Amino acid sequence: MRQFLNTLFVTTENAYLSLDGENVVVNREKEEIGRFPLHNLSGIITFSYAGASPALMGACAQRQIGLSFCTPRGRFLARTDGISNGNVLLRRTQYRLTDDPDASCRIARNMIFGKLYNVRWSIERTRRDHKLRIDTEAFGAVSETMQKLLGQVMQETDMDTLRGWEGAGATAYFSVFDSMILREKEQFYFHGRNRRPALDKVNAMLSFAYSLLGNDCASALESVGLDAYVGFLHRDRPGRTSLALDLMEELRPCFADRFVLTLINNRIVTGEDFLQSESGAVLLTEQGRRKFLKSWQERKQESLKHPFLEEKIVWGLVPYVQALLLARFLREDMDEYPPFLWK
């Protein structure tokens, strides 16, 4: 249980929430493990199937405290709101800004800045930790490219040009991605991004990781009252969670990509965890998916210091904190949306 930005995160899987006076009480197996005054909270997000008492839900609705329910793995289930809640104002602001090219570009460029910053940091970490096993000059050149793009992105006011800078950064990054794979090169190699279907094992894992991260980001956005289907960088398309795709951009390099590299370089997955269909598509086997999902959940429980909050959280809460920060910016509680800058 942690409290950030006036939001209580209950991560204990079997926790039950109840009301005692003016406090939300967190119980596990009929034992109280936490107590928080309601007047200090603007939202509660619980990752438990046990649920909450009707009295607490009523008290939250009356006080306009958003109460969101997610599965222990982070999938959004439901959100309770009062009759008069700021959600409608938040979403109207979101919809209005997405129709404003200048406002959309202002938000999107911060997200792209975060992505390129995290790409550069990932490259620098590999360059530092494995300098005897890689072409340090090639990595240094890509890092320098990213540094230049960061300045260009923050000055950009045109969305199409911004997408061009993002594309240039992705091309440079993926040009050295294969060199970040340090083991079993005959099984795991990267010759460019391909999907629908993935044609090699690395792309199969990247696509799976992006799918999981996208679901986590969509759940995070819905839990704070935003519409995950209406984005700023990614435009509307039926059935696509465009805002979740926006939010995950800055998390791809440091969360999903590094996770896939860890699975390969630490020999957690092997060539036997994949199969190839008659069409040429490469897929994870059932055993491979189990390994992947188990490691993904373990990764989400690892701790880090959030660069903006400067507080220790687990990786699994990063999308939720970023969603809260985005909601605060849209409510004009903050001057800018602060992207996640990995350190």
Side-chain angles (χ1 to χ4, degrees):
M1 292 171 296
R2 294 299 300 273
Q3 185 175 339
F4 303 111
L5 302 171
N6 295 330
T7 298
L8 174 65
F9 292 88
V10 181
T11 55
T12 305
E13 290 191 12
N14 56 348
Y16 179 75
L17 308 183
S18 60
L19 181 69
D20 182 16
E22 292 296 311
N23 300 285
V24 53
V25 180
V26 183
N27 303 280
R28 182 178 58 192
E29 297 178 354
K30 299 182 179 181
E31 178 183 353
E32 181 179 322
I33 60 173
R35 177 181 290 261
F36 302 86
L38 284 174
H39 68 265
N40 288 339
L41 300 176
S42 61
I44 302 171
I45 302 175
T46 177
F47 298 82
S48 172
Y49 284 122
S53 70
L56 176 62
M57 287 190 280
C60 288
Q62 184 179 21
R63 294 164 177 77
Q64 299 186 25
I65 299 172
L67 175 57
S68 298
F69 298 90
C70 299
T71 69
R73 289 194 172 187
R75 182 169 61 86
F76 176 73
L77 294 173
R79 177 182 169 92
T80 63
D81 287 315
I83 297 174
S84 175
N85 189 275
N87 261 12
V88 63
L89 299 178
L90 175 63
R91 291 202 175 196
R92 287 185 66 180
T93 300
Q94 177 188 353
Y95 300 148
R96 186 172 65 252
L97 294 183
T98 57
D99 289 333
D100 183 335
D102 293 336
S104 291
C105 188
R106 178 184 175 190
I107 298 170
R109 71 187 178 201
N110 283 9
M111 293 173 169
I112 295 303
F113 180 93
K115 177 180 182 176
L116 297 180
Y117 179 98
N118 293 334
V119 162
R120 183 172 184 268
W121 185 240
S122 180
I123 289 171
E124 286 295 332
R125 287 190 66 165
T126 301
R127 189 182 177 196
R128 178 196 66 195
D129 296 341
H130 305 288
K131 58 185 177 182
L132 299 180
R133 304 178 66 179
I134 63 170
D135 184 345
T136 55
E137 289 187 6
F139 274 70
V142 173
S143 179
E144 185 177 345
T145 296
M146 295 300 162
Q147 184 64 31
K148 292 178 180 178
L149 286 172
L150 289 174
Q152 292 168 318
V153 163
M154 288 312 294
Q155 296 176 12
E156 191 53 63
T157 58
D158 178 74
M159 186 69 82
D160 289 335
T161 307
L162 179 64
R163 292 190 180 100
W165 295 133
E166 188 274 334
T171 299
Y173 169 50
F174 282 131
S175 72
V176 296
F177 193 80
D178 185 67
S179 299
M180 300 171 80
I181 302 170
L182 304 175
R183 300 184 186 276
E184 298 189 53
K185 298 290 288 189
E186 70 284 353
Q187 290 284 346
F188 297 100
Y189 49 83
F190 183 84
H191 298 157
R193 185 79 176 104
N194 55 71
R195 51 193 181 276
R196 301 188 188 97
L199 301 177
D200 57 69
K201 300 177 180 66
V202 175
N203 273 291
M205 286 194 290
L206 286 174
S207 292
F208 195 22
Y210 292 160
S211 177
L212 293 173
L213 180 58
N215 288 335
D216 287 346
C217 288
S219 294
L221 293 163
E222 295 288 349
S223 70
V224 302
L226 289 166
D227 188 337
Y229 288 84
V230 181
F232 300 101
L233 177 66
H234 295 82
R235 308 314 294 174
D236 296 353
R237 183 182 299 174
R240 183 171 77 173
T241 53
S242 296
L243 188 58
L245 294 177
D246 289 357
L247 188 66
M248 69 182 283
E249 285 295 340
E250 61 206 63
L251 302 179
R252 287 178 190 258
C254 55
F255 198 139
D257 296 356
R258 296 295 298 194
F259 172 75
V260 168
L261 290 169
T262 298
L263 291 186
I264 299 171
N265 293 335
N266 290 351
R267 295 192 174 96
I268 297 171
V269 295
T270 66
E272 296 178 355
D273 294 317
F274 299 84
L275 56 86
Q276 187 168 13
S277 68
E278 294 181 358
S279 66
V282 176
L283 306 168
L284 281 159
T285 63
E286 183 178 349
Q287 177 184 349
R289 286 195 300 273
R290 285 200 298 266
K291 284 184 182 180
F292 197 103
L293 290 170
K294 179 176 182 293
S295 298
W296 182 263
Q297 290 304 116
E298 290 172 351
R299 170 65 166 161
K300 288 167 65 174
Q301 295 304 314
E302 295 178 7
S303 298
L304 76 156
K305 187 176 182 180
H306 191 280
F308 182 78
L309 299 182
E310 296 189 342
E311 293 191 50
K312 196 173 182 180
I313 66 172
V314 295
W315 270 104
L317 289 184
V318 171
Y320 293 85
V321 172
Q322 293 307 120
L324 279 170
L325 291 170
L326 179 58
R328 286 208 161 191
F329 167 71
L330 295 180
R331 290 191 175 105
E332 298 184 344
D333 294 334
M334 307 176 68
D335 293 333
E336 293 284 345
Y337 164 69
F340 179 81
L341 304 180
W342 187 37
K343 296 181 178 179

